């Protein structure tokens, strides 16, 4: 039976640490704020945005929500981003993805001021991550590293296999593991003999987006299994990418869904917003 890595508990610790620093910033006259922009009616995005507002209240940030209609044009969204870039009450800007088809995501992400880019999706911040010299790390991969660290699991020299190559998770995840001296393999939908690759993993990170994708035969006994998946099953229940019941029988440690990577992503967003506020505060004083 695997040890369960409790993301909810670790996230609560991180948020308490952020809260203490926010209180200090406020005592020094800075009132940090996060702007969250939601375009359209994606129900999952709606839930994420509501949760982010709750997290802001918990750690003491002001939060500003901008909800725009599905038919918003790229020019209209750009105008809002530019307004937020200029707004001194806002230190962090997050535009919830995905965006409706008429809006080019990359155009919007490039318009966000890099020092307010708490997602770390701007190409300038992506470049910083590649080099290993950064202010912000993307929330989900940074959350995974933090939970591995706080669970006392060593990364150096380990073989980490990441399934998924998205810009949000897979690619930056691989880079952060590499920065920690792991040996990294990235697998994706065209990988041949996937199970053969994943069975090499000391640490397996699943970021696929398909329920029950990682089965016990794909996991080396004793491996650490990190489940980034957030899928809804037929009953509407939130499930990960890992067939949890069978994989936890052979893994040494595993993250549950819910209560694993999800809360960590949210906690790191709060941490990144704090970083942005500290940068702004230093410039101001
Ligand atoms: N949609 C799914 N994950 C994310 C994320 O981490 N940031 C943003 N902005 N949108 C998302």
């Amino acid at each position: 039976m695997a040890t369960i890595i409790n993301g909810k508990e670790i996230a609560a610790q991180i948020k308490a640490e952020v809260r203490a620093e926010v209180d200090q910033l406020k005592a020094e006259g800075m009132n940090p704020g996060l702007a969250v922009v939601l375009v359209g009616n994606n129900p999952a995005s709606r839930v994420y945005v509501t949760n982010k507002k709750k997290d802001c209240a918990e750690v003491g940030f002001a939060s500003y929500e901008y909800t725009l209609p599905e038919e918003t044009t790229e020019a209209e969204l750009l105008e809002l981003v530019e307004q937020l870039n200029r707004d001194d009450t806002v230190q962090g800007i997050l535009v919830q993805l995905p965006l409706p088809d008429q809006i080019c995501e990359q155009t919007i992400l490039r318009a966000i001021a890099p020092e307010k880019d708490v997602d770390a999706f701007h190409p300038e911040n992506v470049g910083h991550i590649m080099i290993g010299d950064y202010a912000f790390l993307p929330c989900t991969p940074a959350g995974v590293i933090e939970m591995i660290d706080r669970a006392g699991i060593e990364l150096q020299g380990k073989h980490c296999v990441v399934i998924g190559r998205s810009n949000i998770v897979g690619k930056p995840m691989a880079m952060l593991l590499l920065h920690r001296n792991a040996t990294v393999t990235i697998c994706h939908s065209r990988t041949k003999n996937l199970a053969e690759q994943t069975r090499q993993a000391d640490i397996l990170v699943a970021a696929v987006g398909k329920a029950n994708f990682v089965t016990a035969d794909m996991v080396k006994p004793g491996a650490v299994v990190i489940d980034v998946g957030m899928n809804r099953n037929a009953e509407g229940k939130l499930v990960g990418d890992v067939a949890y019941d069978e994989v936890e029988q052979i893994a040494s440690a595993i993250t549950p869904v819910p209560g694993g990577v999800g809360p960590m992503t949210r906690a790191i967003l709060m941490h990144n917003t704090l970083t942005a506020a500290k940068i702004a505060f230093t410039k101001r004083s």
Side-chain angles (χ1 to χ4, degrees), residues 86-164:
R86 290 189 300 269
D87 186 340
D88 282 344
T89 63
V90 166
Q91 284 77 46
I93 302 171
L94 182 141
V95 178
Q96 187 66 36
L97 302 179
L99 290 168
D101 290 346
Q102 73 276 15
I103 302 176
C104 171
E105 271 177 15
Q106 281 304 320
T107 303
I108 300 302
L109 297 178
R110 277 163 207 254
I112 297 172
E115 69 276 13
K116 294 189 177 186
D117 171 33
V118 286
D119 266 323
F121 291 166
H122 189 288
E124 192 175 310
N125 287 326
V126 174
H128 281 300
I129 291 156
M130 194 82 176
I131 297 163
D133 154 32
Y134 39 73
F136 306 114
L137 290 175
C139 299
T140 299
V144 169
I145 296 282
E146 197 64 35
M147 76 198 298
I148 290 173
D149 280 348
R150 294 195 189 213
I153 295 162
E154 176 68 66
L155 279 168
Q156 177 153 308
K158 296 284 174 64
H159 189 173
C160 298
V161 177
V162 179
I163 322 175

Side-chain angles (χ1 to χ4, degrees), residues 147-262:
M147 76 198 298
I148 290 173
D149 280 348
R150 294 195 189 213
I153 295 162
E154 176 68 66
L155 279 168
Q156 177 153 308
K158 296 284 174 64
H159 189 173
C160 298
V161 177
V162 179
I163 322 175
R165 56 174 159 178
S166 71
N167 289 334
I168 295 183
V169 183
K171 284 187 219 167
M173 185 75 253
M175 202 49 58
L176 299 197
L177 292 165
L178 188 61
H179 289 326
R180 297 295 299 275
N181 298 319
T183 301
V184 184
T185 302
I186 307 177
C187 298
H188 47 80
S189 52
R190 312 285 164 85
T191 296
K192 295 204 171 101
N193 303 322
L194 178 66
E196 212 171 275
Q197 298 290 336
T198 58
R199 275 197 300 267
Q200 305 297 314
D202 301 313
I203 298 172
L204 181 61
V205 181
V208 184
K210 286 186 188 153
N212 294 318
F213 186 85
V214 176
T215 44
D217 59 303
M218 297 168 72
V219 178
K220 177 166 77 173
V224 173
V225 180
I226 308 287
D227 192 348
V228 181
M230 298 258 261
N231 313 296
R232 296 272 163 195
N233 69 7
E235 294 91 55
K237 205 176 132 224
L238 187 66
V239 294
D241 290 343
V242 175
Y244 185 89
D245 291 345
E246 58 181 76
V247 172
E248 66 112 22
Q249 307 282 328
I250 58 164
S252 64
I254 190 166
T255 65
V257 178
V261 174

